[in-house]
Amino acid sequence: MKNFFIKYKHCWTLLYVFIYMPWFVFLEGHVKHYTIIHCSLDDKIPFCEYFVIPYFLWFLFVALTMTYLLFYSGDEFYKASAFLFIGMTVFLIISTVFPNGLNLRTDISGRDNICARIVSNLYKTDTSTNVFPSVHVFNTLGCMIALFKSKGLKGHNIIKTFIFILSVSIILSTVFLKQHSVIDVIGGFVLAIIMYVLVYVIKWRKK
């Protein structure tokens, strides 16, 4: 174990979970009054329970991305960590000073299939608050960017195509499951663009 931490000392950034989770859980339990996030396009997007599959694949996607980068390259891992964790902190700050939520969820009791039952359980355990910007969208973009820029995947176009399709599916799942508004998705993209510039474009060492 000692040798592991010596060799992969950059894994210390994962301690961020002890900052993010307590803060997020606190917000989930204490946000009672919030601004509704909504746009007309939200009402035109149909509910589709089958998108719960890519929605939950997000957890595996993020975990596998960070695990791959942890063992492949300390520098790439640090960049991905900076991208994700700074952005997630921005999300927490926004949710703290600007409590927000949704009223998009509809009655799905009439749908009798395993995906609908999974969504029903998701609705019971996950509140419809703290949605802007979408962390699902932001982290998906962050992982996709990190993998696309990874030297280890250079030339592996089939893998990158799969990553792209999975990423698009995850992003679409957030609106088709009524877990996020289109506004949340746009917010996730805007935050990802900002973090991309800060992490991958600006040459901090030279400055």
Side-chain angles (χ1 to χ4, degrees), residues 5-69:
F5 285 111
I6 292 176
K7 185 176 182 179
Y8 302 105
K9 55 183 179 295
H10 44 281
C11 71
W12 70 268
T13 63
L14 297 178
L15 293 174
Y16 175 73
V17 68
F18 295 107
I19 297 176
Y20 180 83
M21 287 307 300
W23 194 345
F24 180 76
V25 171
F26 173 81
L27 291 174
E28 285 285 281
H30 290 78
V31 173
K32 305 299 181 182
H33 304 285
Y34 50 84
T35 300
I36 297 295
I37 305 295
H38 182 269
C39 71
S40 59
L41 186 56
D42 295 330
D43 302 324
K44 298 178 181 179
I45 299 175
F47 172 84
C48 181
E49 66 268 31
Y50 300 107
F51 272 97
V52 75
I53 297 173
Y55 186 85
F56 275 106
L57 281 177
W58 173 81
F59 295 95
L60 185 62
F61 180 46
V62 174
L64 289 179
T65 297
M66 295 305 287
T67 300
Y68 160 72
L69 295 175

Coordinates of all heavy atoms in Angstrom, one line a residue, residues 5-69:
F5 N 1.0 4.4 -2.9 CA 0.9 5.8 -2.7 C 2.1 6.6 -3.1 O 2.1 7.8 -3.4 CB 0.5 6.1 -1.3 CG -1.0 5.8 -1.0 CD1 -1.3 4.7 -0.1 CD2 -2.0 6.5 -1.5 CE1 -2.6 4.4 0.1 CE2 -3.3 6.2 -1.3 CZ -3.6 5.2 -0.4
I6 N 3.3 5.9 -3.0 CA 4.5 6.6 -3.5 C 4.5 6.7 -5.0 O 4.9 7.7 -5.5 CB 5.8 5.8 -3.0 CG1 5.9 5.9 -1.4 CG2 7.0 6.3 -3.6 CD1 7.0 5.0 -0.9
K7 N 4.1 5.6 -5.6 CA 4.1 5.6 -7.1 C 3.0 6.5 -7.7 O 3.2 7.1 -8.7 CB 4.0 4.2 -7.6 CG 4.1 4.0 -9.1 CD 4.1 2.6 -9.5 CE 4.2 2.4 -11.1 NZ 4.2 1.0 -11.5
Y8 N 1.9 6.4 -7.1 CA 0.7 7.2 -7.6 C 0.3 8.2 -6.6 O -0.9 8.3 -6.2 CB -0.4 6.2 -7.9 CG -0.1 5.1 -8.8 CD1 0.1 3.8 -8.4 CD2 0.0 5.3 -10.2 CE1 0.4 2.8 -9.3 CE2 0.3 4.3 -11.1 CZ 0.6 3.1 -10.6 OH 0.9 2.0 -11.5
K9 N 1.3 9.0 -6.2 CA 1.0 10.1 -5.2 C 0.0 11.1 -5.6 O -0.6 11.8 -4.8 CB 2.3 10.8 -4.8 CG 3.1 11.3 -5.9 CD 4.4 11.9 -5.4 CE 5.3 12.5 -6.5 NZ 5.7 11.5 -7.5
H10 N -0.2 11.2 -7.0 CA -1.2 12.2 -7.5 C -2.6 11.8 -7.1 O -3.5 12.6 -7.3 CB -1.0 12.3 -9.0 CG -0.9 11.0 -9.7 ND1 0.3 10.4 -9.8 CD2 -1.8 10.3 -10.4 CE1 0.2 9.3 -10.5 NE2 -1.1 9.2 -10.9
C11 N -2.8 10.6 -6.6 CA -4.2 10.2 -6.2 C -4.7 11.0 -5.1 O -5.9 10.9 -4.7 CB -4.3 8.7 -5.9 SG -3.5 8.2 -4.4
W12 N -3.9 11.9 -4.4 CA -4.4 12.7 -3.3 C -5.5 13.6 -3.7 O -6.3 13.9 -2.8 CB -3.2 13.5 -2.7 CG -2.8 14.6 -3.6 CD1 -1.8 14.6 -4.6 CD2 -3.3 15.9 -3.7 NE1 -1.7 15.8 -5.2 CE2 -2.6 16.7 -4.7 CE3 -4.4 16.6 -3.0 CZ2 -2.9 18.0 -5.0 CZ3 -4.7 17.9 -3.3 CH2 -3.9 18.6 -4.3
T13 N -5.6 13.9 -5.0 CA -6.7 14.8 -5.4 C -8.1 14.2 -5.2 O -9.1 14.9 -5.0 CB -6.6 15.2 -6.9 OG1 -6.7 14.0 -7.7 CG2 -5.2 15.9 -7.1
L14 N -8.1 12.8 -5.1 CA -9.4 12.1 -4.9 C -10.0 12.4 -3.5 O -11.1 12.1 -3.2 CB -9.2 10.6 -5.1 CG -8.8 10.2 -6.5 CD1 -8.6 8.7 -6.6 CD2 -9.8 10.7 -7.5
L15 N -9.2 13.0 -2.6 CA -9.7 13.4 -1.3 C -10.7 14.5 -1.4 O -11.4 14.7 -0.5 CB -8.5 13.9 -0.4 CG -7.5 12.8 0.0 CD1 -6.3 13.5 0.7 CD2 -8.1 11.8 0.9
Y16 N -10.9 15.0 -2.6 CA -11.9 16.0 -2.8 C -13.3 15.5 -2.5 O -14.2 16.3 -2.2 CB -11.8 16.5 -4.3 CG -12.9 17.5 -4.7 CD1 -12.9 18.8 -4.2 CD2 -14.0 17.0 -5.5 CE1 -14.0 19.6 -4.5 CE2 -15.0 17.9 -5.8 CZ -15.0 19.2 -5.3 OH -16.0 20.1 -5.6
V17 N -13.5 14.2 -2.6 CA -14.8 13.6 -2.3 C -15.2 14.0 -0.9 O -16.4 14.1 -0.7 CB -14.7 12.1 -2.5 CG1 -13.9 11.4 -1.4 CG2 -16.1 11.5 -2.5
F18 N -14.3 14.2 0.0 CA -14.6 14.5 1.4 C -15.0 16.0 1.5 O -15.5 16.4 2.6 CB -13.5 14.2 2.3 CG -13.2 12.7 2.4 CD1 -12.0 12.2 1.8 CD2 -14.0 11.8 3.0 CE1 -11.8 10.8 1.8 CE2 -13.8 10.5 3.1 CZ -12.6 10.0 2.5
I19 N -14.8 16.7 0.5 CA -15.3 18.1 0.4 C -16.7 18.1 -0.3 O -17.7 18.7 0.2 CB -14.3 19.1 -0.3 CG1 -13.0 19.1 0.5 CG2 -14.9 20.4 -0.4 CD1 -12.0 20.0 -0.2
Y20 N -16.7 17.5 -1.4 CA -17.9 17.5 -2.3 C -19.1 16.9 -1.7 O -20.2 17.5 -1.6 CB -17.6 16.9 -3.6 CG -18.8 16.9 -4.6 CD1 -19.1 18.0 -5.3 CD2 -19.6 15.8 -4.7 CE1 -20.2 18.1 -6.2 CE2 -20.7 15.8 -5.5 CZ -21.0 17.0 -6.3 OH -22.1 17.0 -7.1
M21 N -19.0 15.6 -1.2 CA -20.1 14.9 -0.7 C -20.8 15.5 0.5 O -22.0 15.6 0.5 CB -19.7 13.4 -0.4 CG -19.5 12.6 -1.7 SD -20.8 12.7 -2.9 CE -22.2 12.0 -1.9
P22 N -20.1 15.9 1.6 CA -20.8 16.5 2.7 C -21.5 17.8 2.3 O -22.7 18.1 2.7 CB -19.7 16.8 3.7 CG -18.6 15.9 3.3 CD -18.7 15.7 1.8
W23 N -20.9 18.6 1.4 CA -21.5 19.9 0.9 C -22.7 19.6 0.1 O -23.8 20.2 0.3 CB -20.5 20.6 0.1 CG -20.8 22.1 -0.2 CD1 -22.0 22.7 0.0 CD2 -19.9 23.1 -0.6 NE1 -21.9 24.0 -0.4 CE2 -20.6 24.3 -0.8 CE3 -18.5 23.1 -1.0 CZ2 -20.0 25.4 -1.3 CZ3 -18.0 24.2 -1.4 CH2 -18.7 25.4 -1.6
F24 N -22.6 18.6 -0.8 CA -23.8 18.3 -1.7 C -24.9 17.7 -0.8 O -26.1 18.0 -1.1 CB -23.3 17.3 -2.7 CG -24.4 16.8 -3.7 CD1 -24.9 17.7 -4.7 CD2 -25.0 15.6 -3.5 CE1 -25.9 17.3 -5.5 CE2 -26.1 15.2 -4.4 CZ -26.5 16.1 -5.4
V25 N -24.6 16.8 0.1 CA -25.7 16.2 0.9 C -26.3 17.2 1.8 O -27.6 17.2 1.9 CB -25.0 15.1 1.8 CG1 -26.1 14.6 2.8 CG2 -24.6 13.9 0.9
F26 N -25.6 18.2 2.3 CA -26.2 19.3 3.0 C -27.2 20.0 2.2 O -28.3 20.3 2.6 CB -25.1 20.2 3.5 CG -25.6 21.4 4.2 CD1 -26.0 21.4 5.5 CD2 -25.7 22.6 3.5 CE1 -26.5 22.5 6.2 CE2 -26.2 23.8 4.1 CZ -26.6 23.7 5.4
L27 N -26.8 20.4 1.0 CA -27.7 21.1 0.1 C -28.9 20.3 -0.3 O -30.0 20.9 -0.3 CB -26.9 21.5 -1.2 CG -25.8 22.5 -1.1 CD1 -25.1 22.7 -2.4 CD2 -26.4 23.9 -0.7
E28 N -28.7 19.0 -0.5 CA -29.9 18.2 -0.8 C -30.9 18.1 0.3 O -32.1 18.0 0.1 CB -29.4 16.7 -1.1 CG -28.7 16.6 -2.5 CD -29.8 16.6 -3.6 OE1 -30.4 15.6 -3.8 OE2 -29.9 17.6 -4.3
G29 N -30.4 18.2 1.5 CA -31.3 18.1 2.7 C -31.9 19.4 3.2 O -32.8 19.4 4.0
H30 N -31.3 20.5 2.8 CA -31.7 21.8 3.4 C -32.3 22.8 2.4 O -32.8 23.8 2.8 CB -30.5 22.5 4.1 CG -30.0 21.8 5.3 ND1 -29.3 20.6 5.3 CD2 -30.3 22.0 6.6 CE1 -29.1 20.2 6.5 NE2 -29.6 21.0 7.4
V31 N -32.2 22.5 1.1 CA -32.8 23.4 0.1 C -34.3 23.2 0.0 O -34.8 22.1 -0.4 CB -32.2 23.2 -1.3 CG1 -32.9 24.1 -2.3 CG2 -30.7 23.6 -1.2
K32 N -35.1 24.1 0.6 CA -36.5 24.0 0.6 C -37.2 25.0 -0.4 O -38.2 24.7 -1.0 CB -37.1 24.2 2.0 CG -36.4 23.3 3.0 CD -36.7 21.8 2.7 CE -36.1 20.9 3.8 NZ -36.3 19.5 3.5
H33 N -36.6 26.2 -0.5 CA -37.2 27.2 -1.4 C -36.1 27.5 -2.5 O -35.0 27.8 -2.2 CB -37.5 28.5 -0.6 CG -38.4 28.2 0.6 ND1 -39.7 28.1 0.4 CD2 -38.1 28.2 1.9 CE1 -40.3 27.9 1.6 NE2 -39.3 27.9 2.6
Y34 N -36.6 27.4 -3.7 CA -35.6 27.5 -4.8 C -36.3 28.1 -6.0 O -37.5 28.1 -6.2 CB -35.0 26.1 -5.1 CG -36.0 25.0 -5.3 CD1 -36.6 24.8 -6.5 CD2 -36.3 24.2 -4.2 CE1 -37.5 23.7 -6.7 CE2 -37.2 23.1 -4.4 CZ -37.8 22.9 -5.6 OH -38.7 21.9 -5.8
T35 N -35.5 28.6 -6.9 CA -35.9 29.1 -8.2 C -36.1 27.9 -9.2 O -35.2 27.1 -9.3 CB -34.9 30.1 -8.8 OG1 -34.7 31.2 -7.9 CG2 -35.4 30.6 -10.1
I36 N -37.2 27.9 -9.9 CA -37.5 26.9 -10.9 C -36.8 27.1 -12.1 O -36.8 28.2 -12.7 CB -39.0 26.8 -11.2 CG1 -39.8 26.4 -9.9 CG2 -39.3 25.8 -12.3 CD1 -39.4 25.0 -9.4
I37 N -36.0 26.1 -12.6 CA -35.3 26.2 -13.9 C -36.2 25.6 -15.0 O -36.6 24.4 -14.9 CB -34.0 25.5 -13.9 CG1 -33.1 26.0 -12.7 CG2 -33.3 25.6 -15.2 CD1 -32.7 27.4 -12.8
H38 N -36.6 26.4 -16.0 CA -37.5 25.9 -17.0 C -37.4 26.7 -18.3 O -37.1 27.9 -18.2 CB -38.9 25.9 -16.5 CG -39.9 25.4 -17.4 ND1 -40.6 26.2 -18.3 CD2 -40.4 24.1 -17.6 CE1 -41.4 25.4 -19.0 NE2 -41.3 24.2 -18.6
C39 N -37.6 26.1 -19.4 CA -37.7 26.8 -20.7 C -38.7 26.0 -21.5 O -39.1 24.8 -21.3 CB -36.4 26.9 -21.4 SG -35.7 25.3 -22.1
S40 N -39.2 26.6 -22.6 CA -40.3 26.1 -23.4 C -39.9 24.8 -24.1 O -40.7 23.9 -24.3 CB -40.8 27.1 -24.4 OG -39.7 27.4 -25.3
L41 N -38.6 24.6 -24.4 CA -38.1 23.4 -25.0 C -38.2 22.2 -24.1 O -38.4 21.1 -24.6 CB -36.6 23.6 -25.5 CG -36.0 22.5 -26.3 CD1 -36.8 22.3 -27.6 CD2 -34.6 22.9 -26.7
D42 N -38.1 22.4 -22.8 CA -38.3 21.3 -21.9 C -39.6 20.6 -22.1 O -39.7 19.3 -22.0 CB -38.2 21.8 -20.4 CG -36.8 22.4 -20.1 OD1 -35.8 21.9 -20.7 OD2 -36.8 23.3 -19.3
D43 N -40.7 21.3 -22.4 CA -42.0 20.7 -22.5 C -42.1 19.9 -23.8 O -43.1 19.1 -23.9 CB -43.1 21.8 -22.4 CG -43.0 22.6 -21.1 OD1 -42.7 22.0 -20.1 OD2 -43.2 23.8 -21.2
K44 N -41.3 20.2 -24.8 CA -41.4 19.5 -26.1 C -40.6 18.2 -26.1 O -40.7 17.4 -27.0 CB -40.9 20.5 -27.2 CG -41.8 21.7 -27.3 CD -41.2 22.6 -28.4 CE -42.1 23.9 -28.4 NZ -41.6 24.9 -29.5
I45 N -39.7 18.0 -25.1 CA -38.9 16.8 -25.0 C -39.7 15.7 -24.3 O -40.1 15.9 -23.1 CB -37.6 17.1 -24.3 CG1 -36.8 18.1 -25.0 CG2 -36.8 15.8 -24.2 CD1 -35.5 18.5 -24.3
P46 N -39.9 14.6 -25.0 CA -40.7 13.5 -24.3 C -39.9 12.8 -23.3 O -38.7 12.7 -23.3 CB -41.1 12.6 -25.5 CG -39.9 12.8 -26.4 CD -39.5 14.2 -26.3
F47 N -40.6 12.2 -22.3 CA -40.0 11.3 -21.3 C -39.7 10.0 -21.9 O -40.5 9.4 -22.7 CB -40.9 11.2 -20.1 CG -40.4 10.1 -19.1 CD1 -39.4 10.5 -18.2 CD2 -40.8 8.8 -19.2 CE1 -38.9 9.5 -17.3 CE2 -40.4 7.9 -18.3 CZ -39.4 8.2 -17.3
C48 N -38.5 9.4 -21.7 CA -38.2 8.1 -22.2 C -37.3 7.4 -21.1 O -36.2 7.7 -20.9 CB -37.4 8.2 -23.5 SG -36.9 6.6 -24.2
E49 N -38.0 6.4 -20.5 CA -37.3 5.7 -19.4 C -36.1 4.9 -19.8 O -35.2 4.7 -18.9 CB -38.3 4.8 -18.7 CG -38.8 3.6 -19.5 CD -40.1 3.9 -20.3 OE1 -40.3 5.1 -20.6 OE2 -40.9 3.0 -20.5
Y50 N -36.0 4.6 -21.0 CA -34.8 3.8 -21.4 C -33.5 4.5 -21.4 O -32.4 3.9 -21.4 CB -35.1 3.2 -22.9 CG -36.3 2.3 -22.9 CD1 -37.5 2.8 -23.5 CD2 -36.3 1.1 -22.3 CE1 -38.6 2.0 -23.6 CE2 -37.5 0.3 -22.3 CZ -38.6 0.8 -22.9 OH -39.8 0.0 -23.0
F51 N -33.6 5.8 -21.3 CA -32.4 6.6 -21.2 C -31.8 6.5 -19.8 O -30.7 7.0 -19.5 CB -32.6 8.1 -21.5 CG -32.5 8.4 -22.9 CD1 -33.6 8.5 -23.7 CD2 -31.2 8.7 -23.5 CE1 -33.5 8.8 -25.1 CE2 -31.1 9.0 -24.8 CZ -32.2 9.0 -25.6
V52 N -32.4 5.7 -18.9 CA -31.9 5.5 -17.5 C -30.6 4.7 -17.6 O -29.7 4.7 -16.7 CB -32.9 4.8 -16.6 CG1 -33.1 3.3 -17.0 CG2 -32.5 5.0 -15.2
I53 N -30.5 3.9 -18.7 CA -29.3 3.1 -18.9 C -28.0 3.9 -19.1 O -27.1 3.8 -18.3 CB -29.5 2.1 -20.1 CG1 -30.6 1.1 -19.8 CG2 -28.2 1.3 -20.3 CD1 -31.0 0.2 -20.9
P54 N -28.0 4.8 -20.1 CA -26.8 5.7 -20.2 C -26.7 6.7 -19.0 O -25.6 7.0 -18.6 CB -27.0 6.5 -21.5 CG -28.5 6.4 -21.7 CD -28.9 5.1 -21.2
Y55 N -27.8 7.0 -18.4 CA -27.8 7.9 -17.2 C -26.9 7.3 -16.1 O -26.1 8.0 -15.5 CB -29.2 8.2 -16.7 CG -29.2 9.3 -15.6 CD1 -29.3 10.6 -15.9 CD2 -29.2 8.9 -14.3 CE1 -29.3 11.6 -14.9 CE2 -29.3 9.8 -13.3 CZ -29.3 11.2 -13.6 OH -29.4 12.1 -12.6
F56 N -27.1 6.0 -15.8 CA -26.4 5.4 -14.7 C -25.0 4.9 -15.2 O -24.1 4.7 -14.4 CB -27.2 4.2 -14.2 CG -28.2 4.6 -13.1 CD1 -29.5 4.6 -13.4 CD2 -27.7 5.0 -11.9 CE1 -30.4 5.0 -12.4 CE2 -28.7 5.3 -10.9 CZ -30.0 5.4 -11.2
L57 N -24.8 4.8 -16.5 CA -23.5 4.5 -17.0 C -22.5 5.6 -16.8 O -21.3 5.4 -16.8 CB -23.6 4.1 -18.5 CG -24.0 2.8 -18.9 CD1 -24.1 2.6 -20.4 CD2 -23.1 1.7 -18.3
W58 N -23.1 6.8 -16.5 CA -22.3 8.0 -16.2 C -21.3 7.7 -15.0 O -20.2 8.1 -15.0 CB -23.2 9.1 -15.8 CG -22.5 10.4 -15.3 CD1 -21.9 11.3 -16.1 CD2 -22.4 10.8 -13.9 NE1 -21.4 12.3 -15.2 CE2 -21.7 12.0 -13.9 CE3 -22.8 10.2 -12.8 CZ2 -21.4 12.7 -12.8 CZ3 -22.6 10.9 -11.6 CH2 -21.9 12.1 -11.6
F59 N -21.8 7.0 -14.0 CA -21.0 6.8 -12.8 C -19.8 5.9 -13.2 O -18.7 6.1 -12.7 CB -21.9 6.1 -11.7 CG -23.0 6.9 -11.2 CD1 -24.3 6.8 -11.7 CD2 -22.7 7.8 -10.1 CE1 -25.3 7.6 -11.2 CE2 -23.7 8.6 -9.6 CZ -25.0 8.5 -10.1
L60 N -20.1 4.9 -14.0 CA -19.0 4.0 -14.4 C -18.0 4.7 -15.3 O -16.8 4.5 -15.2 CB -19.6 2.8 -15.1 CG -18.6 1.7 -15.6 CD1 -17.9 1.0 -14.3 CD2 -19.4 0.6 -16.3
F61 N -18.6 5.5 -16.2 CA -17.8 6.3 -17.1 C -16.8 7.2 -16.4 O -15.6 7.2 -16.7 CB -18.7 7.1 -18.0 CG -17.9 8.0 -19.1 CD1 -16.9 7.4 -19.8 CD2 -18.3 9.3 -19.3 CE1 -16.3 8.2 -20.8 CE2 -17.6 10.0 -20.2 CZ -16.6 9.5 -21.0
V62 N -17.2 7.9 -15.4 CA -16.4 8.8 -14.7 C -15.3 8.0 -13.9 O -14.1 8.4 -13.9 CB -17.2 9.7 -13.7 CG1 -16.3 10.6 -12.8 CG2 -18.1 10.6 -14.5
A63 N -15.8 7.0 -13.2 CA -14.9 6.2 -12.4 C -13.8 5.5 -13.2 O -12.6 5.6 -12.9 CB -15.7 5.1 -11.7
L64 N -14.2 5.0 -14.4 CA -13.2 4.3 -15.2 C -12.2 5.3 -15.9 O -11.0 5.0 -16.0 CB -13.9 3.5 -16.3 CG -14.6 2.2 -15.9 CD1 -15.3 1.6 -17.1 CD2 -13.7 1.3 -15.2
T65 N -12.7 6.5 -16.2 CA -11.9 7.5 -16.8 C -10.8 7.9 -15.8 O -9.6 8.0 -16.1 CB -12.7 8.8 -17.2 OG1 -13.6 8.4 -18.2 CG2 -11.8 9.9 -17.7
M66 N -11.2 8.2 -14.6 CA -10.2 8.7 -13.6 C -9.3 7.5 -13.2 O -8.1 7.8 -12.9 CB -11.0 9.2 -12.3 CG -11.8 10.4 -12.6 SD -10.9 11.8 -13.3 CE -9.9 12.3 -11.9
T67 N -9.8 6.3 -13.2 CA -8.9 5.2 -12.9 C -7.8 5.0 -14.0 O -6.6 4.8 -13.7 CB -9.7 3.9 -12.7 OG1 -10.7 4.0 -11.7 CG2 -8.8 2.7 -12.4
Y68 N -8.3 5.1 -15.2 CA -7.3 5.0 -16.3 C -6.3 6.1 -16.3 O -5.1 5.8 -16.4 CB -8.1 5.1 -17.7 CG -7.2 5.5 -18.8 CD1 -6.3 4.5 -19.4 CD2 -7.3 6.7 -19.4 CE1 -5.5 4.9 -20.4 CE2 -6.5 7.1 -20.4 CZ -5.6 6.2 -21.0 OH -4.7 6.5 -22.0
L69 N -6.7 7.3 -16.0 CA -5.7 8.4 -16.0 C -4.8 8.3 -14.8 O -3.6 8.7 -14.9 CB -6.5 9.8 -16.0 CG -7.3 10.1 -17.2 CD1 -8.1 11.4 -17.0 CD2 -6.4 10.2 -18.5

